[in-house]
Amino acid sequence: MVTIDRLADRAKVRGVAKQKPRPLKTRRIRESPTDRALLVVIYLGLILAVLVVVLPLLYILASSFSSPHAVTAGEVFLWPVDFTLKGYQTVLSDPQVLLGYANSLFYMVAGTLISTTLTVCIAWPLSRRTFMGRNVIMSLLLFTMLFSGGLIPTYMVVQNLGMLDTRWALLLPQAVAVWQVIIARTFFRSAIPDELVEAAELDGASDWRFLWTMVLPLSKPLIAVIALMYAIGQWNGYFDALLYLKSSDLFPLQLVLRNILVLNATNGGTNDLAAQASNQELVNLLKYSLIVITSVPVLIIYPFVARYFNKGVLIGSVKG
């Protein structure tokens, strides 16, 4: 016979079983005054760094939409004064600027494809331990980072190869950067295990097939980083064009804009002081408009590769 005490005990057990487990209370770690002071200093440093980068960009953007007189008088800070599109109209009305834009896009796309392809083809064999002579080749590549032939020998090589005043002069001489090769080589060492290569060889995959179907899909962060570095270098470069090109039809945008600024700055042979002052004000406005125009392609490309950028740089920086 079940007693009243046993029934009470069973009821207590059932009640305990039905109770929901209490969540564990997380204790907040108390920060010491030194840690708080360090965090304040870090946040202030980050805010200062952001201001140093953002304020000049806002000033340039505001000046490009302001009147020439306001820019010359220093009345512009972070907001346009006497809003106008005169600077952009003056620049874009020149057909040479549009041609230079098309040339720069071609150099950036073609140069990025060539440089990225060559970098991957060099870095992948150097990352494999079974590749004979990899240390010797890597030492020769590192040697070029410390010593170079110089400007005149490089010019003579380009001249003897028949690349002067051709598009190849801007695509091939600086096609491979050793620093990008080092990053790609380290990435391949850490991200592509030897066991994967051996498994592909057992399945009968050739080297090119393995590189195309396995290595490249696994190396999207790396390729994005390298492509961005090469694209920015191609877009901003103008010294090689100044050195090797003579035909204005081949000039990239950077060289075209440089010539526009120089011509406008030196076109002051007239005796009319008012005309000279007006011309100088227009030159000051054109400087800011040209900076914005030349920065647009890079600003458009960067958001698409930003998610790969940090990952690719961090993985490629791990010593393998």
Side-chain angles (χ1 to χ4, degrees):
M1 184 175 181
V2 181
T3 60
I4 298 176
D5 294 336
R6 290 183 179 179
L7 292 175
D9 293 338
R10 291 179 180 177
K12 290 181 180 180
V13 172
R14 292 176 180 175
V16 172
K18 292 180 179 180
Q19 290 180 356
K20 295 182 179 180
R22 296 181 180 179
L24 296 177
K25 294 182 179 180
T26 57
R27 294 183 179 180
R28 184 178 180 182
I29 299 176
R30 295 182 180 180
E31 297 177 351
S32 63
T34 305
D35 293 337
R36 293 180 180 178
L38 181 61
L39 286 177
V40 171
V41 173
I42 292 174
Y43 282 123
L44 290 177
L46 293 176
I47 293 173
L48 180 61
V50 171
L51 293 177
V52 169
V53 175
V54 172
L55 290 181
L57 294 177
L58 294 178
Y59 173 75
I60 292 172
L61 187 62
S63 298
S64 66
F65 289 105
S66 300
S67 64
H69 177 72
V71 173
T72 305
E75 300 176 357
V76 183
F77 181 54
L78 297 178
W79 193 258
V81 177
D82 298 335
F83 183 87
T84 181
L85 298 176
K86 185 176 181 179
Y88 294 101
Q89 292 174 353
T90 304
V91 173
L92 297 179
S93 61
D94 190 348
Q96 191 66 29
V97 173
L98 300 179
L99 181 59
Y101 229 112
N103 289 334
S104 290
L105 289 175
F106 172 79
Y107 293 138
M108 183 178 67
V109 175
T112 302
L113 290 176
I114 294 173
S115 299
T116 304
T117 302
L118 293 178
T119 300
V120 171
C121 292
I122 294 173
W124 169 245
L126 294 177
S127 66
R128 297 299 95 193
R129 303 183 188 277
T130 56
F131 181 68
M132 302 299 295
R134 65 184 186 281
N135 294 329
V136 177
I137 297 176
M138 198 65 203
S139 300
L140 295 176
L141 291 176
L142 293 175
F143 183 82
T144 61
M145 295 182 66
L146 304 176
F147 305 96
S148 62
L151 182 61
I152 295 178
T154 304
Y155 183 87
M156 294 178 64
V157 170
V158 175
Q159 183 181 25
N160 292 332
L161 292 176
M163 293 190 298
L164 284 181
D165 202 23
T166 63
R167 298 185 186 274
W168 295 110
L170 302 185
L171 299 177
L172 295 184
Q174 305 294 335
V176 178
V178 180
W179 179 247
Q180 276 80 325
V181 173
I182 296 174
I183 294 177
R185 172 176 172 266
T186 308
F187 179 92
F188 290 144
R189 274 190 174 184
S190 60
I192 310 298
D194 295 334
E195 292 77 9
L196 186 61
V197 181
E198 295 174 357
E201 292 177 352
L202 292 176
D203 291 338
S206 62
D207 294 335
W208 286 108
R209 181 176 178 81
F210 180 76
L211 178 64
W212 181 259
T213 59
M214 297 297 295
V215 176
L216 295 183
L218 294 175
S219 305
K220 290 181 180 179
L222 170 72
I223 295 175
V225 171
I226 293 177
L228 180 63
M229 291 180 179
Y230 282 125
I232 293 176
Q234 284 286 350
W235 182 262
N236 292 331
Y238 80 96
F239 183 72
D240 288 347
L242 183 64
L243 190 63
Y244 301 130
L245 299 183
K246 297 179 181 179
S247 302
S248 59
D249 295 339
L250 302 177
F251 284 176
L253 179 63
Q254 304 293 342
L255 190 58
V256 172
L257 300 184
R258 171 187 173 275
N259 292 339
I260 291 176
L261 288 179
V262 170
L263 291 176
N264 279 286
T266 58
N267 189 17
T270 178
N271 295 326
D272 191 352
L273 297 179
Q276 293 184 20
S278 177
N279 186 65
Q280 185 60 40
E281 289 182 352
L282 181 60
V283 170
N284 294 333
L285 176 62
L286 288 179
K287 292 178 181 179
Y288 299 107
S289 301
L290 296 176
I291 292 174
V292 175
I293 289 175
T294 55
S295 302
V296 168
V298 177
L299 295 177
I300 294 175
I301 294 174
Y302 183 78
F304 295 98
V305 298
R307 58 175 179 170
Y308 299 110
F309 191 81
N310 293 333
K311 183 179 179 181
V313 171
L314 291 176
I315 296 178
S317 62
V318 177
K319 184 177 180 181

